[in-house]
Amino acid sequence: MALVAGLEFGRAMHRRRLLLLNILIPLAVTVPIAFAGAPPHHAAAVYAVQFILFATFGAAIPALRDAETGIMARLRATALAPAPLLLARAAAGAALDLLELLPSVCVILITTRAAVAAWGSVPVILLASLFIANNVGLWVAAIARSVAEGALFAALAALLLLHASGVFRTPLPGSVGAAVERFAPFRALHEALLAAGTPSLPLLPVPLAIETAATIVITALAARIALRSLASADSR
Amino acid sequence: MIRASAVSFRFPSGRLALDAVDFSADGGEIVAVVGPNGSGKTTLLRILARVIAPASGEIAGPADGAPGCIGWAPDTAVHFDELSAFANARFFAHSNGADDSAIRPLLGSFGLEQDAGRPVAHYSFGMRRKLMLVEAMAHLPELLLLDEPTVGLDPASVLALSDLLHRHVERGQTAVLATNDLAAARTAGRVVFLHRGRKIADGTHTQLLASVAGTTRIDLVLDRPAATLPAMDGVTFTRSGDGLVAETIGSTMLPGICQVVADAGAHVREIRIREPDLRDVFRALAGEDLVDATAEPVPAAGPEPARTRRGPPWRRKA
């Protein structure tokens, strides 16, 4: 896993322009909202959407590009096992996303006058959420037939999961939406962004930890099929 | 070392790329898989490399054992372009469980040692092809699968490749080359001919050439393609590009051959009399020229332009 993660970091560090853009563009969205005094619910929704789309697209599109160029086929021909390969790619992607989003997160935490606890918990919750979103991006890449289709599927998957996580609404207590929201993967991120000012924010909420573990299991189980799909992308 | 039994592969479009092909290569052997574009060479190598799964048939070989025993160089030179050549080679060596020890000598063999620290994005086509070969060989695999290995290589690198292949098989390991370059095929001890997804011949050079022994090939370069295929007793004419190949015994019929070609509406510009080679064997077996037998190609399972459609995994056989 370290080999693949190191590779992904190495590739990212050599794409300096992209790295800079990946820092500046989220900042360009975050700064106006953070300093404009937007209602907390609206601001938290925008931040959550931005972060999750960033990670989902950021995993799906490079994976599809690597599939179409034949890199995935070359990786499949190595001795690397599919599950560690894809999980390492998702983990490295999440860590890189966090590094790139960290300036935006700092702006959010400063402008919301976040409690000390939030400075620890928001990045941890964000990292776990980005890891889940990166896995979703890889799943999307495995079923998409082109980069354009991958972008479409990534947007659809991310927005549906964000909606299920209660980012776009306030569900009535006892409703189906509220029940679904309890198991949705990005609820913790949304709540952390909303409640950054409260001193009792948990470092890693239990449901998010369970959802992260479930994501690892799903990717590990589907890795062989997913990598086979990605590796045959240039054989159609 | 590697066995493929009745291997078939069908594209999602329904076209058959490989039709019940049997293939084997033993330790200490170089086998050349020869055929025109679309004959199924690349698909066969991808199946042997375990990159794609056959629709039917079985593979038995080194991939069943320890990991990292296959070195595969596909027909397109794909690398991590942001990284240096050495970093690329090191990644593939490490990902196959090997260390860096073979990388520098291999880079040196192909004249890449001076550029080993440069990002691959700045490499020429030939350098990228050479790096691909280095990456395939850097972990000293039991089975080496090289797809069109001589494409883009300078003559010195072709010689270096030939030398490396012979050293590879001297260690008791196996090499399979997919090529339509007959010069590269001569490196191999055995040649397998594929034509439109089917194996049409398998044997040593001597065995294959025996089928056309005793005949003379006369290559006729024409000023324009013949309107009709000439006919003459004792001579078999086949088209080869815009020219013709006349198969006969001896060369005494040459004046008559020139006459019937003229009668067919073309004039002979150049004549080459030669002994038969593998190209003639292929032509005799397939009824088509090795280079020209692509009129109705079966698409290779090799890389196609980006954004080609892919079926979802549950609808795919590979």
Side-chain angles (χ1 to χ4, degrees), chain B residues 227-314:
Chain B
T228 56
L229 203 61
M232 185 177 174
D233 286 344
V235 183
T236 306
F237 288 97
T238 49
R239 293 186 190 276
S240 176
D242 287 344
L244 292 171
V245 176
E247 180 191 339
T248 182
I249 296 169
S251 56
T252 53
M253 301 178 89
L254 192 54
I257 288 170
C258 292
Q259 184 58 52
V260 294
V261 170
D263 293 345
H267 291 283
V268 177
R269 203 174 64 207
E270 192 178 329
I271 296 170
R272 291 187 221 110
I273 302 171
R274 58 180 175 80
E275 291 299 307
D277 59 17
L278 285 178
R279 191 170 153 167
D280 300 305
V281 177
F282 183 87
R283 193 184 294 113
L285 292 166
E288 291 175 89
D289 195 85
L290 185 57
V291 179
D292 301 330
T294 53
E296 294 174 9
V298 178
E304 290 184 0
R307 295 177 180 78
T308 49
R309 293 177 65 80
R310 303 190 295 122
W314 56 87

Side-chain angles (χ1 to χ4, degrees), chain B residues 139-201:
Chain B
H139 58 290
L140 306 174
E142 283 179 49
L143 173 65
L144 197 52
L145 301 167
L146 306 181
D147 199 347
E148 301 290 0
T150 55
V151 170
L153 265 59
D154 51 64
S157 298
V158 172
L159 285 174
L161 174 64
S162 175
D163 181 47
L164 288 166
L165 284 175
H166 283 106
R167 277 195 270 159
H168 179 80
V169 296
E170 278 166 14
R171 292 192 294 263
Q173 295 161 336
T174 308
V176 179
L177 322 177
T179 184
N180 53 21
D181 173 6
L182 294 184
R186 273 194 283 274
T187 313
R190 190 155 60 84
V191 175
V192 172
F193 276 135
L194 288 185
H195 180 238
R196 300 198 176 173
R198 290 194 177 89
K199 185 169 86 170
I200 56 170

Side-chain angles (χ1 to χ4, degrees), chain A residues 74 76 144-145 234 236, chain B residues 46 51 135 304 309-310:
Chain A
R74 295 205 65 199
R76 191 173 185 226
R145 299 178 183 183
D234 64 346
R236 304 294 115 192
Chain B
R46 290 167 77 92
V51 172
E135 289 164 0
E304 290 184 0
R309 293 177 65 80
R310 303 190 295 122

